[in-house]
Amino acid sequence: MSERTKTRRTRGVLGGRSERVVLEVLGATVAELAESGYRAFRMDAVSATAAVNKTTIYRRWPGKALLVGAAVEWMRTFVHDVPLPDTGSLERDLIDAFRRRLGIKERVEGRAWARLLAEKNDPEVDSIIGAAVEERSGAWYAMVTRAVARGELPDGTDPRLLLGMLGAIVDAWNAKSPGRLKADLLEAAVRTVVAGARSGSLVRSPRRRPAPRAG
């Protein structure tokens, strides 16, 4: 066997092992985020779960923020990078999107993401997840703005208000029996909120400018 062949095979083995180590560490990081959140995050727990020496972890990710940032990018494959539905009907889009959202919440990635969102007021957490949150929020808002453009909802309907109201209802119901929200309840919540939006109750009122003072 030539030296070139030996070198090529060695690189392949090391590359494969390196990739496995990265995946083990990222998976353990997500699990630790789901368990402890960001503030209480323990590098020791990641090291133990991944069966990887802390020195090896710190060599690649010199601090907690860098490691969690890498895990967030990895999680986006599961949590964020699946396109939201665009069926041509707002009700169908919302039912499908919230059904997926509830399914993700039951996964370790969804639980980890929920813990990070709960700590978003921490500037360090916000710097890690802020761009991803803004991007995904824009995709959710786009479902509503498309419905306005199709004439399903009146002009000026506030996507943030509609989605916030619907999300609060769905999350409250789901909290009573996590993972077992019945399809008919989800559909009823969507129909109720969308019906209210169609009536114009969620139209954002333009702010009135204060009248100029008399000179």
Side-chain angles (χ1 to χ4, degrees):
M1 184 183 297
S2 69
E3 286 299 315
R4 180 179 296 179
T5 302
K6 287 181 181 178
T7 301
R8 186 166 57 246
R9 288 190 176 182
T10 302
R11 284 177 180 168
V13 170
L14 290 175
R17 181 180 181 279
S18 176
E19 183 178 358
R20 286 195 299 274
V21 167
V22 168
L23 293 177
E24 290 290 344
V25 171
L26 292 178
T29 300
V30 171
E32 174 59 14
L33 285 170
E35 176 70 24
S36 304
Y38 187 79
R39 291 187 191 92
F41 184 87
R42 301 163 299 167
M43 293 291 279
D44 286 341
V46 173
S47 174
T49 301
V52 175
N53 192 285
K54 277 202 300 183
T55 303
T56 302
I57 297 174
Y58 278 114
R59 188 180 299 124
R60 188 177 186 101
W61 301 283
K64 177 174 76 170
L66 290 173
L67 177 56
V68 172
V72 165
E73 288 303 308
W74 187 59
M75 279 195 293
R76 288 177 73 172
T77 303
F78 306 99
V79 179
H80 274 184
D81 287 349
V82 178
L84 289 170
D86 183 7
T87 65
S89 162
L90 179 61
E91 287 189 5
R92 287 200 300 270
D93 286 350
L94 290 172
I95 290 168
D96 190 10
F98 272 92
R99 186 179 293 121
R100 293 186 201 175
R101 177 173 172 264
L102 290 171
I104 289 171
K105 278 192 168 187
E106 298 306 308
R107 297 171 56 164
V108 65
E109 297 88 0
R111 296 196 303 274
W113 189 252
R115 294 297 296 263
L116 288 170
L117 287 176
E119 298 182 64
K120 192 174 182 295
N121 288 334
D122 182 324
E124 195 167 328
V125 175
D126 184 56
S127 70
I128 294 170
I129 69 171
V133 170
E134 185 175 347
E135 179 184 354
R136 191 59 167 181
S137 295
W140 278 84
Y141 296 160
M143 286 194 292
V144 179
T145 56
R146 286 195 300 267
V148 172
R150 290 193 299 263
E152 288 187 73
L153 299 176
D155 289 341
T157 298
D158 189 339
R160 185 187 298 270
L161 186 56
L162 187 155
L163 292 168
M165 186 178 297
L166 180 56
I169 294 170
V170 171
D171 288 344
W173 284 353
N174 188 59
K176 295 179 180 179
S177 53
R180 295 193 295 274
L181 180 65
K182 293 182 179 179
D184 58 341
L185 289 178
L186 174 58
E187 292 169 9
V190 169
R191 285 197 303 269
T192 300
V193 173
V194 171
R198 287 193 182 115
S199 74
S201 63
L202 301 183
V203 171
R204 181 174 54 248
S205 300
R207 293 182 179 178
R208 294 183 179 179
R209 294 183 179 179
R213 294 181 180 179

